[in-house]
Amino acid sequence: MERFVRLWLVPVLLCSITTLHSQPLLLIFHDPAPPITHNDQPYDPNIDLKPYLVPFLEELRKVQVAWYRPDHPMMRPFAERRDLSEEQLKAPNPALRAQIARAWGATYVMTVRCTRIPEKSQYEYRIVVWELGKRAPVWESEGFQQLATGAGRSDEIAALQTLGRTVAMRLDSELWGALPRVAESVKTPAAVAPLPRDDTPPPIDPLQQATKLLGEGKRIEALPFLRAAVNAEPLNADLRMQLIHLYRRLNLTEQAQQALRQATLLFPNDERFLLEEVQLLRDSGNPAAAISRLQKALQTQPESVAARLALFDLLLESGDTVAAEHLLQAVPEQDTAEWAYRRYLLSGAKRALERLPSESIPLTEERAALWLQIARGLLADLSSELLDVRRLTTNPQPNWAELRPRSERAVLTALSIGQWLEKVAPNDSTRTLVAHVRFASQMLTQSAQHMARYVLSRRSEEEERASLLRIEAMRELEAAKSALPKR
């Protein structure tokens, strides 16, 4: 009897082993839809259907299930043999999918696409199955999976689970009805499966991926990951600021403006977003709107020092020295380094160079543009004065008595400008800029001295030297613009 039982079990076990190793392999590829534009921003509509589809396919116990990923260990030798690039592996075309499936030992190839457009309460899907060796798909399905109105996260998951279960049941009845169901105890072991479930890599951290891509200089590629990080942490002000900065570096002005509007609504007391909005308006060629925005902000937050400083800078930049001085005088506490710097700028803008600060003023990258504007104005005015003196000396009957004190005042003005310029302490990013401006100032000072000597001596070589130095000084001042740090 025992011998009979053993003999009876042999074909049963052989049948089980045969079933185990003949179980077809289904290799699934994600077929992503291209990005779309939503609210003037790039948007990725793709939904990962893997966690909602694979479990139900495995429950059928009719096929082995593997989800393709380009970093699977077997893909490296495959790619090296065929000299394939990373981009080809990330998005294989149909022909390459078939080659990968044959190398994987698959019987079936499935492509899965699931998308959701914002503000729509439905998922759109398309799933196609090929059997290797057949030219046309052996099964396909496409349509919509509806969400309940006002559904939250739990309803979205339920809808995706319903979709995954429906697809698996249809495949079971419409395509794999004749395939045997493998018993639970003899399912394909993990050692035999080409892609074990526990070998699935952890989901990509969007912030980590964005940081990596930005570090590699891939700004466009980093954008969707940074947006995903912001969506995951909508109340993280730092992430929103990073996204705004990235929009600006990519010249996506409208997207930056919209992101700033959203940020100011979420963080009304965070001055960084106000200042970024003002800077964006200014850089877009609308300084009047930037000034108006700051004035409006100061009406609701009069204690905001950052807004007041930014408004001072814009008023000075626009040439409204009267309003800038009034704003400076209206601040009760002015004994700070920031206000000392503004008083220094105002003295240059008003051409009131008698009272200079006792200490050096740090010239940072952020301060360079406004400082250069005022310095150029000082030197351009001096150059115009020297040119005017020279023109008066060519009159048929020059008034030398009047020109003498005027030429001497030009020398004193040149010396005062030089002292004003010496008050700044540049850093590495502004050192070249300051050197150009100071050299231009020195040549204009020498030009003024030669012009004063010409008024006294009437010697033509003094006038020629003064004119040559003035022209060279203006060229040097023009060269200073190219040394302005790029922010």
Side-chain angles (χ1 to χ4, degrees):
M1 181 66 180
E2 182 179 351
R3 182 171 177 271
F4 173 80
V5 171
R6 286 200 302 267
L7 290 174
W8 178 80
L9 283 174
V10 168
V12 173
L13 291 173
L14 288 174
C15 181
S16 299
I17 293 172
T18 302
T19 302
L20 168 67
H21 289 284
S22 63
Q23 187 182 10
L25 171 64
L26 170 68
L27 183 58
I28 305 176
F29 291 85
H30 181 220
D31 182 28
I36 63 175
T37 300
H38 176 65
N39 291 335
D40 295 327
Q41 296 185 19
Y43 178 83
D44 183 5
N46 291 286
I47 303 296
D48 183 10
L49 201 57
K50 178 181 178 181
Y52 309 103
L53 177 62
V54 171
F56 294 109
L57 291 174
E58 290 180 336
E59 283 182 4
L60 298 178
R61 302 198 306 275
K62 290 191 173 183
V63 293
Q64 303 175 54
V65 181
W67 196 286
Y68 169 78
R69 67 175 207 268
D71 61 343
H72 188 271
M74 72 164 290
M75 293 309 301
R76 180 178 294 276
F78 177 85
E80 290 176 352
R81 287 195 303 270
R82 289 164 174 78
D83 194 23
L84 299 174
S85 66
E86 291 186 7
E87 292 300 321
Q88 287 176 296
L89 291 179
K90 287 180 181 178
N93 58 33
L96 184 54
R97 288 175 189 163
Q99 295 177 24
I100 293 172
R102 290 189 183 92
W104 215 300
T107 302
Y108 298 99
V109 173
M110 174 186 286
T111 59
V112 175
R113 173 180 292 186
C114 182
T115 60
R116 183 182 176 189
I117 299 175
E119 303 174 357
K120 284 197 174 184
S121 59
Q122 62 185 15
Y123 294 101
E124 183 176 359
Y125 66 91
R126 174 171 172 76
I127 299 175
V128 184
V129 180
W130 285 267
E131 186 175 348
L132 261 67
K134 298 182 178 180
R135 309 187 75 175
V138 294
W139 189 88
E140 55 186 319
S141 178
E142 60 182 334
F144 301 90
Q145 180 65 43
Q146 195 70 29
L147 281 167
T149 304
R153 182 174 178 81
S154 59
D155 293 324
E156 293 176 358
I157 292 177
L160 291 171
Q161 288 176 334
T162 300
L163 174 59
R165 184 185 297 109
T166 302
V167 170
M169 291 175 63
R170 287 189 56 195
L171 282 167
D172 187 28
S173 61
E174 297 172 13
L175 179 62
W176 297 327
L179 291 179
R181 190 183 304 274
V182 178
E184 187 74 20
S185 57
V186 294
K187 282 177 61 179
T188 305
V192 177
L195 188 58
R197 291 293 304 279
D198 58 4
D199 191 35
T200 302
I204 294 176
D205 182 340
L207 179 57
Q208 183 179 0
Q209 186 70 7
T211 304
K212 175 179 177 293
L213 292 171
L214 288 173
E216 296 171 355
K218 300 177 180 177
R219 296 173 188 156
I220 296 178
E221 293 85 346
L223 181 58
F225 291 101
L226 191 53
R227 288 184 63 250
V230 171
N231 293 335
E233 298 183 57
L235 297 182
N236 189 323
D238 293 335
L239 283 181
R240 286 189 178 272
M241 184 57 74
Q242 288 184 44
L243 179 61
I244 292 166
H245 285 165
L246 183 55
Y247 280 142
R248 295 196 61 190
R249 296 192 74 175
L250 293 173
N251 293 321
L252 300 174
T253 304
E254 292 183 4
Q255 289 86 338
Q257 289 173 338
Q258 182 176 0
L260 277 167
R261 285 193 293 268
Q262 295 171 349
T264 50
L265 289 174
L266 288 171
F267 310 98
N269 297 323
D270 194 327
E271 294 175 333
R272 293 179 301 168
F273 296 108
L274 168 64
L275 299 180
E276 192 73 22
E277 181 183 359
V278 167
Q279 188 66 29
L280 182 60
L281 288 170
R282 173 194 171 277
D283 293 346
S284 301
N286 198 351
I291 291 173
S292 176
R293 179 69 181 89
L294 284 169
Q295 290 172 335
K296 182 179 179 181
L298 283 172
Q299 290 176 0
T300 57
Q301 295 177 300
E303 72 285 352
S304 174
V305 175
R308 197 170 292 273
L309 291 172
L311 180 56
F312 175 92
D313 292 349
L314 277 173
L315 289 171
L316 210 56
E317 182 180 310
S318 63
D320 194 346
T321 56
V322 175
E325 184 175 19
H326 177 73
L327 187 69
L328 189 67
Q329 294 171 347
V331 180
E333 296 292 336
Q334 300 181 16
D335 294 332
T336 66
E338 289 295 333
W339 283 114
Y341 165 65
R342 267 72 183 186
R343 285 194 294 269
Y344 163 75
L345 288 181
L346 187 61
S347 68
K350 292 180 62 181
R351 312 301 190 251
L353 308 177
E354 298 81 13
R355 297 180 60 184
L356 297 178
S358 57
E359 297 180 353
S360 296
I361 303 293
L363 189 64
T364 60
E365 181 179 343
E366 294 76 16
R367 294 176 170 182
L370 185 53
W371 177 84
L372 177 60
Q373 177 182 325
I374 296 174
R376 282 169 56 87
L378 284 167
L379 295 175
D381 285 354
L382 176 59
S383 175
S384 297
E385 174 65 9
L386 293 176
L387 190 60
D388 200 36
V389 170
R390 178 183 178 278
R391 180 184 59 81
L392 292 174
T393 62
T394 61
N395 286 345
Q397 294 181 338
N399 188 342
W400 299 107
E402 181 181 324
L403 287 173
R404 187 177 299 113
R406 187 169 175 178
S407 63
E408 292 172 353
R409 284 195 302 271
V411 173
L412 294 175
T413 299
L415 293 172
S416 297
I417 293 173
Q419 293 172 354
W420 187 86
L421 296 174
E422 288 295 328
K423 279 299 175 181
V424 293
N427 60 16
D428 290 340
S429 64
T430 59
R431 203 175 309 281
T432 302
L433 167 68
V434 172
H436 278 295
V437 175
R438 285 176 177 170
F439 188 38
S441 173
Q442 292 167 6
M443 285 192 288
L444 271 182
T445 300
Q446 294 175 30
S447 175
Q449 292 169 343
H450 282 287
M451 183 57 67
R453 295 193 192 104
Y454 172 66
V455 171
L456 286 173
S457 65
R458 279 76 151 182
R459 294 172 58 184
S460 60
E461 59 267 23
E462 294 288 356
E463 185 275 331
E464 292 172 358
R465 185 62 176 163
S467 297
L468 180 61
L469 284 166
R470 183 185 58 78
I471 294 172
E472 291 299 323
M474 290 298 99
R475 288 177 178 170
E476 188 68 19
L477 191 59
E478 192 65 25
K481 292 173 60 178
S482 61
L484 191 66
K486 301 294 187 296
R487 295 187 58 190

